[in-house]
């Protein structure tokens, strides 16, 4: 028994006439009559009464048709669901990200993706770059947004593209002596209590800071550590010390802190988007398409890395 047999039976029940039913399903009347007869033989019961006034379901036919209609509805729904899944309109996307990415560019990207793919379930988790890389390699994430290209064993299996450039700024509470200054020098950071991300969570930033020519290794060893930019800013507002982080911290616009440019201008590791090279998920493809739509430059980099997929 095939789905077409169910459609033939339903058409005959709806039209109560072999000729009209055959026309509705796009076949001639004799083949339809043969198919209905074969169906009745397979079921082992007469499904339709043929009368001079029309063709009508028997009791067995009515029972059969009730389930046939439900089966056809399920087949139609399955076809629609398969199409949506193939287009990345349903499913799940697991994204790990550093907190500073919530300042820029994730709000616009996730907002657009959510509007375009409302039936995709988003699993979002804030985590340090090293942790998100490990989770990505373990198959626990689909996408990671971190600081700097992924490091460590297995990263050759990942695709990583920069999605944002940034430089070092300092944040202080309004009562701090540096508040009101537009810039401070790296030399002025000597002997100051610093607030930075922990080395094990953001090794890229730690490596950059420790490589600065001003020699801040002692200050970094004694620094207060904070997992994300919001905590760095909050601790600076409390007067704990000088927070160091990416310039996108300016987007927080808090009245109780002051942000200073650090001179000379010190680039930080790029914000990078990473995913597994062998991941052919339609949901991931849809997410990458959203990024392309939001930022043409990133889309060009993705296309250069991926080629034709």
């Amino acid at each position: 028994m095939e789905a077409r047999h169910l459609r033939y039976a339903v058409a005959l029940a709806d039209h109560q006439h072999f000729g009209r039913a055959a026309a509705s399903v796009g076949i001639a009347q004799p083949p339809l009559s043969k198919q209905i007869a074969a169906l009745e033989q397979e079921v082992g019961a007469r499904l339709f009464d043929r009368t001079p006034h029309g063709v009508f379901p028997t009791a067995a036919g009515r029972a059969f048709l009730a389930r046939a209609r439900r089966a056809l509805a399920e087949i139609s729904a399955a076809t629609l669901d398969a199409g949506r899944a193939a287009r990345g309109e349903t499913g799940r996307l697991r994204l790990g990200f550093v907190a500073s990415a919530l300042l820029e560019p994730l709000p616009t990207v996730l907002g657009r993706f959510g509007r375009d793919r409302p039936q995709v379930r988003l699993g979002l988790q804030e985590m340090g770059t090293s942790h998100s890389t490990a989770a990505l390699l373990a198959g626990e994430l689909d996408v990671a947004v971190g600081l700097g290209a992924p490091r460590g064993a297995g990263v050759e299996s990942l695709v990583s593209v920069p999605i944002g450039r940034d430089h070092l700024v300092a944040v202080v509470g309004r009562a701090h002596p540096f508040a009101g200054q537009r810039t401070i020098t790296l030399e002025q950071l000597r002997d100051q209590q610093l607030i930075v991300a922990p080395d094990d969570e953001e090794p890229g930033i730690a490596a950059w800071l420790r490589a600065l020519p001003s020699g801040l290794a002692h200050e970094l060893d004694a620094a207060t550590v904070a997992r994300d930019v919001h905590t760095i800013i909050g601790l600076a507002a409390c007067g704990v010390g000088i927070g160091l982080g990416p310039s996108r911290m300016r987007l927080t616009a808090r009245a109780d802190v002051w942000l200073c440019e650090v001179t000379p201008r010190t680039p930080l590791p790029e914000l990078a988007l990473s995913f597994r090279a062998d991941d052919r998920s339609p949901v991931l493809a849809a997410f990458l398409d959203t990024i392309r739509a939001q930022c043409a430059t990133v889309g060009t980099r993705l296309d250069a890395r991926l080629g034709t997929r």
Side-chain angles (χ1 to χ4, degrees), residues 55-73:
V55 182
F56 305 98
T58 63
R62 288 192 293 274
F64 178 86
L65 287 165
R67 289 191 179 274
R69 292 183 191 277
R70 290 198 293 271
L72 289 173

Side-chain angles (χ1 to χ4, degrees), residues 2 15 78 102 120 143 156 203 218 228 230 242 273 287 307:
E2 301 176 13
H15 293 281
L102 283 180
V120 172
V143 185
E156 64 277 1
H218 171 73
D228 59 63
H230 306 287
I242 300 174
L273 172 82
F287 184 73

Side-chain angles (χ1 to χ4, degrees), residues 33-98:
S33 298
K34 290 180 179 180
Q35 292 292 337
I36 294 297
L39 178 61
E40 289 178 321
Q41 184 175 2
E42 182 176 354
V43 172
R46 185 165 48 87
L47 301 178
F48 293 94
D49 282 329
R50 288 79 165 167
T51 75
H53 304 290
V55 182
F56 305 98
T58 63
R62 288 192 293 274
F64 178 86
L65 287 165
R67 289 191 179 274
R69 292 183 191 277
R70 290 198 293 271
L72 289 173
E74 284 297 314
I75 292 172
S76 178
T79 302
L80 289 174
D81 288 347
R84 292 191 185 106
R87 294 187 296 271
E89 295 175 0
T90 61
R92 179 179 63 164
L93 183 76
R94 301 165 299 172
L95 171 64
F97 57 90
V98 292

Side-chain angles (χ1 to χ4, degrees), residues 146-165:
L147 291 167
R151 300 180 175 196
V155 297
E156 64 277 1
S157 66
L158 303 179
V159 174
S160 183
V161 295
I163 59 173
R165 303 179 187 277

